[in-house]
């Protein structure tokens, strides 16, 4: 897992309800169709850094970039590259897991299970 993705997941777990918060934020940010493709068991649709920036908001992207020691553009681009696969792995059964299941799934994603 990249540092930027780990930072985002940590922020969302602390502040926005973890994977459910991420799903909500991406859906309300206009990425609902792409998100559904990541959750479902079919092909993952790609997104651009700009789409991620719009969905998560400038403030969160700037905060992530600062914490990861990179530029906002690079942070958004890294998330655009990593989010589809990460959400796909966090939703192996084709639905968003319950909060009590998230720990074991994050362990699988980071290779710590």
């Amino acid at each position: 897992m990249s540092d930027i993705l780990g930072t985002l997941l940590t922020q969302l777990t602390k502040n926005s309800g973890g994977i459910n918060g991420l799903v909500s934020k991406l859906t309300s940010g206009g990425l609902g169709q792409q998100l559904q493709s990541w959750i479902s068991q079919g092909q993952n649709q790609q997104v651009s850094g700009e789409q991620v920036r719009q969905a998560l908001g400038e403030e969160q992207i700037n905060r992530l970039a600062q914490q990861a020691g990179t530029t906002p553009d690079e942070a958004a681009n890294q998330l655009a590259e990593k989010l589809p696969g990460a959400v796909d792995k966090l939703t192996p059964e084709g639905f968003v897991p319950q909060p009590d299941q998230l720990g074991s799934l994050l362990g699988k994603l980071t290779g710590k299970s």
Side-chain angles (χ1 to χ4, degrees):
M1 179 171 9
S2 74
D3 289 343
I4 196 77
L5 184 58
T7 302
L8 174 65
L9 292 174
T10 299
Q11 276 188 13
L12 288 171
T13 299
K14 289 180 181 176
N15 304 322
S16 304
I19 187 73
N20 292 312
L22 178 62
V23 167
S24 177
K25 193 142 182 111
L26 292 175
T27 300
S28 66
L31 295 180
Q33 182 178 353
Q34 292 89 337
L35 181 67
Q36 280 308 117
S37 78
W38 307 342
I39 293 171
S40 71
Q41 297 181 338
Q43 182 74 20
N44 291 337
Q45 292 181 15
Q46 298 302 308
V47 292
S48 70
E50 185 57 35
Q51 287 174 301
V52 169
R53 182 189 301 265
Q54 289 176 356
L56 293 179
E58 200 69 37
E59 183 179 324
Q60 185 154 33
I61 292 293
N62 289 340
R63 194 168 47 245
L64 288 167
Q66 183 178 23
Q67 289 179 349
T70 189
T71 67
D73 286 340
E74 183 60 28
N77 289 335
Q78 284 183 34
L79 287 171
E81 182 182 321
K82 302 291 183 186
L83 271 174
V87 171
D88 187 54
K89 287 181 179 164
L90 291 172
T91 57
E93 304 298 322
F95 58 87
V96 178
Q98 296 300 312
D100 62 336
Q101 299 171 308
L102 190 57
S104 66
L105 291 171
L106 283 173
K108 290 178 184 176
L109 182 62
T110 61
K112 295 179 182 176
S113 63

